[in-house]
Amino acid sequence: MKYSLSLCIFVVTLIFSGCAPKTQITLLPEDDGKVGVISIADNKKETHTIDKAYTSLNISEKGDIEKKAEIEKDVLSKYSEVLNTLPKKGQSHLFYFPNDSAELNEEQILELRNFTLLIKNNDIIEIICIGHSDSLGDKEYNKILSLKRAQSVANVLTRNSVDKSIIKLEYYGDANPLVKTEGNKSSPKNRRVEIILK
């Protein structure tokens, strides 16, 4: 399973020996296995930090904090209901463009038509078309070109019965390259539109 909100779980539970509320924070890994850091100060102003997946901080009503290592399968089982309510991570697809062009070729148009079946057969509530360019040429021109690329992809989707109201356009020119290039150089991988389905 993939979760976009994968940093931590906050859970309020009852300790049955006195029914005192307790908060538990459990750190989860990202899809790529990376783990963030959570630091919390207790009632004595001492900092408690967790930076390993499936480690928890249990916080009592009085503000005392206890650190505990959890077992992955136990966390996934115990909080499956909570985890299942988190939005799934968006699916991402890339379409590349020729130099100085916002035109899709016939093969890409066919691929996008097939792509609409994926959209229609799943509970997709948002489609983000993100346009990019390489760093060759004028920055302002590249930004406009990246918008035109995003619009080209969105136009094919709407012509194939995808609801226009769920499509959002973003465009960044050469600001977010896939391949870093020095100076005013071209890279085919940077001339792209990324489609994210949510």
Side-chain angles (χ1 to χ4, degrees), residues 3 5 51 69 71 77 96 111 116 119 129 187 193:
Y3 304 101
L5 299 174
D51 60 2
I71 297 169
S77 171
Y96 297 99
E111 188 178 347
T116 59
I119 294 166
C129 298
S187 173
V193 169

Side-chain angles (χ1 to χ4, degrees), residues 8-167:
C8 60
I9 305 172
F10 293 87
V11 180
V12 177
T13 58
L14 294 177
I15 302 171
F16 293 106
S17 59
C19 286
K22 175 177 89 169
T23 300
Q24 179 175 320
I25 300 169
T26 302
L27 191 61
L28 301 178
E30 296 287 346
D31 291 336
D32 61 6
K34 291 180 183 172
V35 180
V37 176
I38 296 176
S39 295
I40 297 181
D42 64 16
N43 56 0
K44 297 173 188 129
K45 305 212 187 307
E46 291 179 21
T47 301
H48 301 262
T49 299
I50 52 176
D51 60 2
K52 291 184 173 53
Y54 306 105
T55 306
S56 295
L57 293 175
N58 296 315
I59 308 164
S60 74
E61 186 178 42
K62 295 178 182 177
D64 297 317
I65 298 177
E66 176 192 3
K67 184 175 176 179
K68 181 182 175 189
E70 304 275 352
I71 297 169
E72 178 181 353
K73 68 177 182 147
D74 292 344
V75 170
L76 298 178
S77 171
K78 186 176 181 180
Y79 301 112
S80 63
E81 205 172 306
V82 174
L83 293 170
N84 287 334
T85 64
L86 295 175
K88 301 277 190 291
K89 184 175 177 180
Q91 299 176 51
S92 177
H93 303 272
L94 293 172
F95 291 87
Y96 297 99
F97 289 81
N99 188 41
D100 197 25
S101 173
E103 298 296 319
L104 291 158
N105 63 38
E106 287 302 317
E107 188 179 313
Q108 290 172 313
I109 291 169
L110 180 60
E111 188 178 347
L112 278 167
R113 284 184 190 142
N114 293 333
F115 195 66
T116 59
L117 295 174
L118 174 70
I119 294 166
K120 292 172 187 174
N121 294 333
N122 289 280
D123 296 327
I124 304 300
I125 58 169
E126 184 178 31
I127 302 165
I128 307 171
C129 298
I130 309 168
H132 300 276
S133 73
D134 58 28
S135 59
L136 189 64
D138 178 70
K139 283 196 174 296
E140 198 53 42
Y141 177 83
N142 284 337
K143 194 159 187 186
I144 292 165
L145 179 59
S146 67
L147 170 61
K148 289 178 180 176
R149 288 173 174 162
Q151 286 171 327
S152 288
V153 170
N155 289 342
V156 173
L157 295 176
T158 55
R159 281 197 306 267
N160 287 277
S161 305
V162 174
D163 183 358
K164 188 176 182 177
S165 69
I166 67 169
I167 299 175

